[in-house]
Amino acid sequence: MNKKTMLFALIVTLFLFVILNYKGNKNHEFVQQVNSERLLEAKEAKNTIYESIKLPSCNMSQEEMYSLFITKDNMNIARNYYNYDNNVVLKKDAKEDINLLFKALKFGYGGYEIFGGDEIFTKAKNNILKEINNHDNLLVKDLETILINNLSFIKDNHFRINENPVFKEKYTYYYNDHPIIKDGQEYYMNFENKKYKIESINKDKNIENYIRYTLNKNGVLSYELGILSLENKQLEVLISNNNHKKTISINLEQSSNTVKNASIKDSSIGYIKLNSMKKISDDILNKTKSIKNNRVNILDLRGCSGGSDLEARKWFETYFNYKIGINGTIFFKYTEFIKEMYLNEIKTTYDLGLCSEEEYSNEVKRISDFYSKEKMNSIVPYTEVDEILDNDNYLLVLVDNTVPSSAESLLIYLRTVKNVIFIGTNSSGTTKIMDKLGFLLPNTKIVCAFGTKAYNYSSFEIEEGKGLEPDIWLGTEDILDRTYKFAKTLK
């Protein structure tokens, strides 16, 4: 081989090395960019301070409190057993139940002060009572509808009337996967075999509002048009080429929530699928332990239902060997009503033989100590702030808008860790009011359910129905395949 040939071969080798490493470096640079954003979130959370709020003392009698009691496990049973939609309800009985419900809301609902307090809730109660009077024959289904319509100002996905939500907004990701090219600070697209600059979208010059990071079919970080919306909308895009401008209409496709059974064949990249936060099996926890030292792992939370934050923390602590906070504030509401509900719940559990006498006694003491006289009749903020946790390996988390409640809590915990990247679409947005209790209205047998604690994640906003946004947007069915290809560039 002569010198020219050797030199040419060396240049080609160096060129390929640079190109391949540039692709990897681009992905690594993106991860570092995300890490920097997370660090800013943690610093912002540290500087947030809330004061306690005084509440009026509970004016509910013991008899009223106990008449509402029902266990979480029996909420659905009660609904199916008691409620026949066509049952006629006496107006007197309906009014008694409504007055009792609004007392329960005042002294038990964690979102009462957040969603307007006495002024808004009293107005809603009066409207409901007025509508009851307007019915000659009031049916259970009529009363249910009246309640849902008049409580729709409560933006809380956990709040339910007979398991029907009062808040019905659900944001979905809509996208068009036609490649978008970024050159400097400008964005371009190819149209009719020509390169056009994007001037505006829907007459908005802030086109970054419509352009998302995504992964192409080869797992390469790229850009696409996408919006998070309550409905599918066509985008009107103004494009230009030299002095020629035109507006084109771009149709959007709804993101897929299809979760197919899949596995990763590459043993060096771990894959964990969590389906629920009600009880994470020992098999899953053991598999989590076995893969946690891999350079890259994929955690698939798509379709993962809620359950318990304790389970979310258990998975986190199994994977990272670290106890985690929420980087936000929990607003605990201390009232006799809530205390009695929790005491009744553990007593029922004990009476059914579902816990030992020692467990029962310990839980009664814990609840009584927690709802101490010093804190009673107040809302007390409790703030947890964790520094960003160092983590040398990569965790890619798949998410969609069917991920609610405690499954979203796991997402929130994972935001406090370096090198964790969320891929997919927005989560459900079911995090504002937590720790749901169920209440049975004694006359009409309507079951209401709502949470006692309000959450505020100081460093970032989680809007109900909109949820947490991913770092990389991907609404296609082959999300796992594209993520796997992306994972290989991080190894």
Side-chain angles (χ1 to χ4, degrees):
M1 185 182 292
N2 59 40
K3 288 184 178 181
K4 286 187 177 179
T5 304
M6 289 178 65
L7 181 60
F8 177 75
L10 179 61
I11 291 171
V12 169
T13 302
L14 286 171
F15 175 77
L16 290 173
F17 177 81
V18 169
I19 291 296
L20 290 172
N21 276 273
Y22 173 76
K23 177 182 171 183
N25 285 339
K26 185 179 178 183
N27 292 341
H28 284 278
E29 286 171 8
F30 173 78
V31 174
Q32 292 309 312
Q33 175 187 322
V34 172
N35 287 340
S36 298
E37 292 169 1
R38 301 278 199 271
L39 187 60
L40 288 175
E41 285 181 3
K43 287 180 179 177
E44 188 177 336
K46 240 180 177 179
N47 298 324
T48 305
I49 300 172
Y50 296 95
E51 294 182 358
S52 297
I53 301 169
K54 291 301 293 179
L55 297 173
S57 58
C58 181
N59 62 5
M60 297 181 74
S61 67
Q62 291 285 345
E63 184 180 353
E64 285 178 316
M65 291 184 198
Y66 295 155
S67 70
L68 287 163
F69 178 71
I70 186 174
T71 64
K72 287 180 183 177
D73 292 337
N74 286 333
M75 276 194 285
N76 287 333
I77 296 172
R79 166 71 180 110
N80 294 332
Y81 181 77
Y82 289 115
N83 280 337
Y84 300 95
D85 287 345
N86 292 320
N87 277 6
V88 176
V89 178
L90 294 177
K91 289 184 182 181
K92 176 180 75 69
D93 290 341
K95 289 177 181 178
E96 282 182 3
D97 276 6
I98 295 307
N99 283 313
L100 191 56
L101 170 62
F102 276 82
K103 280 189 177 183
L105 289 170
K106 178 166 183 162
F107 298 111
Y109 180 44
Y112 189 84
E113 289 71 24
I114 291 172
F115 297 118
D118 283 342
E119 181 182 354
I120 299 300
F121 279 86
T122 301
K123 182 179 178 181
K125 182 181 77 169
N126 291 337
N127 287 340
I128 290 168
L129 294 173
K130 188 184 293 185
E131 285 197 49
I132 289 172
N133 278 330
N134 291 336
H135 279 72
D136 293 327
N137 294 308
L138 186 68
L139 305 179
V140 169
K141 65 181 179 181
D142 296 329
L143 185 54
E144 180 184 301
T145 301
I146 290 169
L147 280 168
I148 290 172
N149 289 343
N150 283 279
L151 294 173
S152 60
F153 65 91
I154 297 174
K155 295 186 175 183
D156 171 8
N157 270 325
H158 274 119
F159 197 109
R160 302 284 166 135
I161 303 293
N162 282 342
E163 283 306 302
N164 295 305
V166 299
F167 179 64
K168 299 177 181 178
E169 289 184 2
K170 187 176 180 69
Y171 282 79
T172 300
Y173 181 57
Y174 299 95
Y175 68 98
N176 182 287
D177 59 4
H178 185 91
I180 302 297
I181 305 147
K182 187 176 184 182
D183 188 352
Q185 298 302 311
E186 308 292 349
Y187 292 93
Y188 297 83
M189 64 185 301
N190 289 320
F191 181 71
E192 295 178 345
N193 296 320
K194 291 182 181 179
K195 184 179 177 182
Y196 283 85
K197 178 184 171 184
I198 301 175
E199 299 283 354
S200 67
I201 300 175
N202 288 354
K203 297 182 179 179
D204 185 356
K205 291 187 177 181
N206 294 319
I207 57 178
E208 292 86 357
N209 294 333
Y210 305 87
I211 293 177
R212 315 280 179 171
Y213 279 112
T214 190
L215 298 175
N216 66 19
K217 289 186 178 182
N218 297 316
V220 176
L221 199 62
S222 51
Y223 298 95
E224 70 182 13
L225 293 174
I227 58 170
L228 195 56
S229 176
L230 294 172
E231 59 182 354
N232 199 345
K233 298 176 181 178
Q234 201 174 53
L235 297 183
E236 300 299 319
V237 182
L238 177 63
I239 57 177
S240 66
N241 181 283
N242 295 325
N243 294 322
H244 178 61
K245 291 186 178 182
K246 64 168 70 178
T247 298
I248 59 173
S249 297
I250 301 289
N251 292 320
L252 301 178
E253 184 177 345
Q254 181 173 331
S255 56
S256 171
N257 285 332
T258 301
V259 180
K260 298 177 179 178
N261 291 329
S263 61
I264 300 295
K265 294 179 180 179
D266 187 340
S267 61
S268 66
I269 297 176
Y271 174 77
I272 293 282
K273 178 77 179 76
L274 293 183
N275 294 314
S276 171
M277 287 297 155
K278 289 182 179 177
K279 178 65 178 174
I280 299 177
S281 70
D282 289 339
D283 287 345
I284 291 291
L285 292 176
N286 288 333
K287 185 177 180 183
T288 299
K289 291 176 185 175
S290 72
I291 68 168
K292 65 183 182 180
N293 292 322
N294 288 352
R295 180 63 175 160
V296 188
N297 288 314
I298 298 172
L299 171 64
D300 194 342
L301 292 180
R302 292 173 298 159
C304 182
S305 63
S308 168
D309 276 17
L310 295 176
E311 293 298 301
R313 291 189 183 223
K314 183 193 293 182
W315 189 90
F316 183 99
E317 290 163 13
T318 300
Y319 190 85
F320 293 106
N321 292 326
Y322 182 82
K323 291 188 179 296
I324 191 64
I326 65 167
N327 267 356
T329 302
I330 308 172
F331 295 90
F332 289 101
K333 193 167 190 172
Y334 293 87
T335 66
E336 288 291 342
F337 176 71
I338 296 175
K339 178 182 176 181
E340 289 299 324
M341 288 297 107
Y342 283 122
L343 286 173
N344 264 308
E345 191 166 68
I346 188 60
K347 184 177 185 303
T348 302
T349 302
Y350 174 67
D351 290 343
L352 291 172
L354 300 176
C355 70
S356 67
E357 186 171 350
E358 182 182 0
E359 289 171 328
Y360 170 64
S361 297
N362 289 339
E363 189 64 6
V364 167
K365 184 179 186 307
R366 186 192 69 81
I367 293 169
S368 300
D369 290 345
F370 187 80
Y371 290 93
S372 62
K373 289 182 180 179
E374 294 76 22
K375 293 178 181 176
M376 203 58 74
N377 302 322
S378 62
I379 296 174
V380 180
Y382 171 71
T383 300
E384 291 181 312
V385 177
D386 273 300
E387 300 291 345
I388 292 296
L389 177 63
D390 279 331
N391 170 48
D392 292 332
N393 299 328
Y394 297 94
L395 181 64
L396 308 179
V397 184
L398 306 187
V399 62
D400 62 21
N401 70 354
T402 65
V403 176
S405 194
S406 51
E408 282 180 293
S409 295
L410 180 53
L411 298 179
I412 292 161
Y413 303 149
L414 290 168
R415 287 178 78 91
T416 64
V417 185
K418 285 183 179 178
N419 296 335
V420 174
I421 300 296
F422 301 107
I423 301 175
T425 68
N426 58 308
S427 61
S428 168
T430 310
T431 60
K432 189 67 178 175
I433 314 294
M434 302 281 264
D435 273 17
K436 187 167 71 173
L437 288 172
F439 306 93
L440 179 66
L441 300 182
N443 296 321
T444 58
K445 308 303 181 188
I446 286 177
V447 178
C448 302
F450 47 78
T452 63
K453 299 178 181 68
Y455 282 64
N456 184 55
Y457 303 101
S458 314
S459 54
F460 51 90
E461 183 179 357
I462 308 177
E463 189 176 327
E464 289 289 287
K466 186 176 282 188
L468 283 162
E469 296 188 4
D471 304 302
I472 298 173
W473 293 82
L474 201 52
T476 57
E477 286 189 13
D478 64 343
I479 175 174
L480 182 58
D481 180 59
R482 297 190 190 198
T483 300
Y484 168 63
K485 291 172 180 173
F486 177 73
K488 289 200 294 184
T489 70
L490 298 174
K491 287 172 62 178

